[in-house]
Amino acid sequence: MLRPLARVPTFRSVVNRDWRLLWMASHLWHLAFWMDLIVLGWLVLELTDSPLLVALVGTFRLIPLGVLGPIAGSVGDRISKKRMLLVAQTVNLLVTIGFTVVLLLGEERVWLVYAAAVLTGSAWAIDFPVRRAFIRDLLPGRFVVNAMAIDAASLTGMQMVGRWIGGGILALADPGAAYAFLSLCYLVGFFALLRVPERSTAPSPRVAGANSLAALVRDLANGLVYVWRNPVLRNIFLVTVAINLFVAPYLQITPVFARDVYGVGPGLLGIVSGMDGFGALVGTIVVASAVGLKRLGRLFIGGCLLLSFAVTVFSQVPTVWIGIPVMVIVGFGVSGFVTMQTTLSVLHASPEMRGRAMGAVALGIGGMPIGMALLGALAEAYGAPRALGMTASLGFLIILAIGVFQPALRRAQ
């Protein structure tokens, strides 16, 4: 079905069958991730009427990434990446089916929402570093930038589609129907993953046999030291921390903006919160279409600055109709950030350290749950617009300082 796309420069990496199958499965996982967040956020807002408790949905969903992500990246350098991905998607499938039953029985409770968020977040924490490292194992070097770009296009495009579908189902039906749809997405994605062969770079016998806890801790420490000593990887990590602490938490506060600032329901919530996905999809397709792209570091910094500036502007717009085009600009920034974050990480890490390099990125993303809790507390005290304006502008200044004073990242290719 996707084979003709390989003739289009934008999708040239899908000529590889194994990557093509994984990419198809990734669409469903990305859609489910974004749809899940909007459904749970709206559910908690209806149950509690609290911006802080809405923000904590994202906190509980993403807090495993900072804990399990580096571990998963390290283990993924030593054992089968495909098996780890199958474990992660099994967890997603079982938890989603279980929570569907809870919703259909009318037994939803806030603590159950948070429990489901933690469990699926743990699966995402395994998936994030391992799947990106697995992509690099599947493909020759000439396809890496394109593959990472269209993987980012899948993530950001499904951010749009997942939020639109989630908002639409909430407007027409209820969270139980939304979760039944999510269960179907995970089921189809699981069977697609089964068709992808194991193509991971084989670990050395010494590493493969190092299964003790001490060896794992040593691998984690070595990986973090490796990332910190590499100036490009170190600065990617620092920018990732800044984005996820101060800028990206806007994702979880959009239900509060929709209901309390714009005065709209879940249908328009889905539209406005998905428009950054539309902008990011356009941006990532542009990157994927470029052949021989240079100055990757500058594209990364520029995308991060645009993202943080546009979120600051979004925090102050008074109506949903102004918020929609501003969110498209937010998405343009997201495309530069997400695409170059993974591309530069796998390009500047040696083959045996790719999983650990992505684990360090996962550790940086692990700052998002803290940022979400902080933003929720500030929104509770000062209102959502003022809270988001303060945090996003702070993120902009930090990224600007890194871009100015860290030339190694600017020069990265």
Side-chain angles (χ1 to χ4, degrees):
M1 180 177 64
L2 292 177
R3 190 180 299 274
L5 288 178
R7 302 189 185 99
V8 180
T10 303
F11 303 99
R12 56 192 176 275
S13 63
V14 300
V15 69
N16 182 287
R17 173 195 174 274
D18 301 340
W19 160 231
R20 187 165 65 245
L21 285 170
L22 185 62
W23 188 54
M24 292 171 63
S26 299
H27 293 339
L28 296 169
W29 301 329
H30 292 152
L31 185 152
F33 177 83
W34 294 113
M35 182 177 166
D36 193 20
L37 280 176
I38 194 173
V39 171
L40 293 182
W42 186 262
L43 178 62
V44 170
L45 185 62
E46 292 289 286
L47 290 173
T48 68
D49 202 38
S50 167
L52 175 59
L53 295 182
V54 171
L56 287 179
V57 173
T59 297
F60 282 104
R61 180 63 182 271
L62 291 168
I63 203 165
L65 190 60
V67 179
L68 296 179
I71 297 174
S74 178
V75 174
D77 284 332
R78 307 188 309 165
I79 68 173
S80 166
K81 294 181 176 69
K82 179 182 174 180
R83 291 180 186 175
M84 293 184 68
L85 293 176
L86 286 171
V87 169
Q89 298 312 323
T90 299
V91 171
N92 275 330
L93 182 59
L94 293 177
V95 172
T96 305
I97 291 174
F99 198 67
T100 301
V101 174
V102 168
L103 291 170
L104 294 178
L105 293 176
E107 296 297 326
E108 59 267 27
R109 302 288 187 273
V110 173
W111 73 268
L112 285 173
V113 172
Y114 292 156
V118 168
L119 290 171
T120 54
S122 298
W124 182 258
I126 296 171
D127 174 272
F128 180 84
V130 173
R131 181 154 50 88
R132 272 77 185 176
F134 191 32
I135 292 171
R136 182 62 185 89
D137 290 345
L138 293 174
L139 291 166
R142 68 183 185 278
F143 288 139
V144 171
V145 173
N146 177 259
M148 292 299 175
I150 64 172
D151 178 67
S154 171
L155 177 65
T156 55
M158 292 303 107
Q159 178 178 343
M160 172 186 67
V161 175
R163 287 175 171 257
W164 286 357
I165 292 176
I169 294 178
L170 288 175
L172 297 173
D174 54 32
Y179 253 76
F181 179 82
L182 286 172
S183 300
L184 179 63
C185 289
Y186 280 125
L187 182 63
V188 175
F190 180 85
F191 282 107
L193 177 60
L194 285 176
R195 297 179 60 198
V196 180
E198 176 60 74
R199 292 281 298 276
S200 298
T201 304
S204 67
R206 182 185 62 82
V207 175
N211 293 320
S212 68
L213 178 61
L216 177 60
V217 172
R218 185 170 60 250
D219 278 356
L220 283 170
N222 290 341
L224 292 175
V225 170
Y226 174 82
V227 167
W228 193 256
R229 288 178 175 174
N230 183 308
V232 174
L233 297 178
R234 179 178 66 243
N235 286 296
I236 291 171
F237 171 76
L238 292 175
V239 171
T240 299
V241 170
I243 287 286
N244 286 279
L245 271 177
F246 301 117
V247 182
Y250 81 88
L251 293 164
Q252 195 57 37
I253 208 71
T254 51
V256 179
F257 273 86
R259 197 191 69 171
D260 298 344
V261 179
Y262 303 145
V264 300
L268 275 176
L269 162 64
I271 292 175
V272 68
S273 65
M275 292 310 293
D276 56 347
F278 174 75
L281 177 62
V282 173
T284 50
I285 288 176
V286 169
V287 173
S289 302
V291 178
L293 192 64
K294 304 294 184 181
R295 302 175 184 253
L296 304 183
R298 293 187 183 185
L299 180 56
F300 176 65
I301 295 170
C304 294
L305 289 173
L306 179 60
L307 167 60
S308 52
F309 178 76
V311 170
T312 304
V313 173
F314 172 78
S315 71
Q316 304 304 309
V317 299
T319 70
V320 67
W321 305 113
I322 302 175
I324 286 174
V326 173
M327 286 296 278
V328 174
I329 299 172
V330 169
F332 293 154
V334 169
S335 66
F337 168 59
V338 173
T339 305
M340 292 301 107
Q341 177 194 58
T342 53
T343 301
L344 287 168
S345 295
V346 298
L347 286 178
H348 285 264
S350 58
E352 71 278 6
M353 300 297 289
R354 286 173 188 145
R356 275 162 279 193
M358 289 308 305
V361 171
L363 180 63
I365 297 174
M368 193 188 298
I370 300 172
M372 287 178 170
L374 172 63
L375 179 58
L378 290 172
E380 196 97 6
Y382 303 108
R386 183 179 297 179
L388 184 58
M390 289 189 294
T391 59
S393 58
L394 178 59
F396 176 86
L397 294 174
I398 293 172
I399 295 161
L400 181 62
I402 294 173
V404 171
F405 296 109
Q406 297 296 322
L409 183 57
R410 293 198 309 272
R411 298 167 183 162
Q413 301 293 333

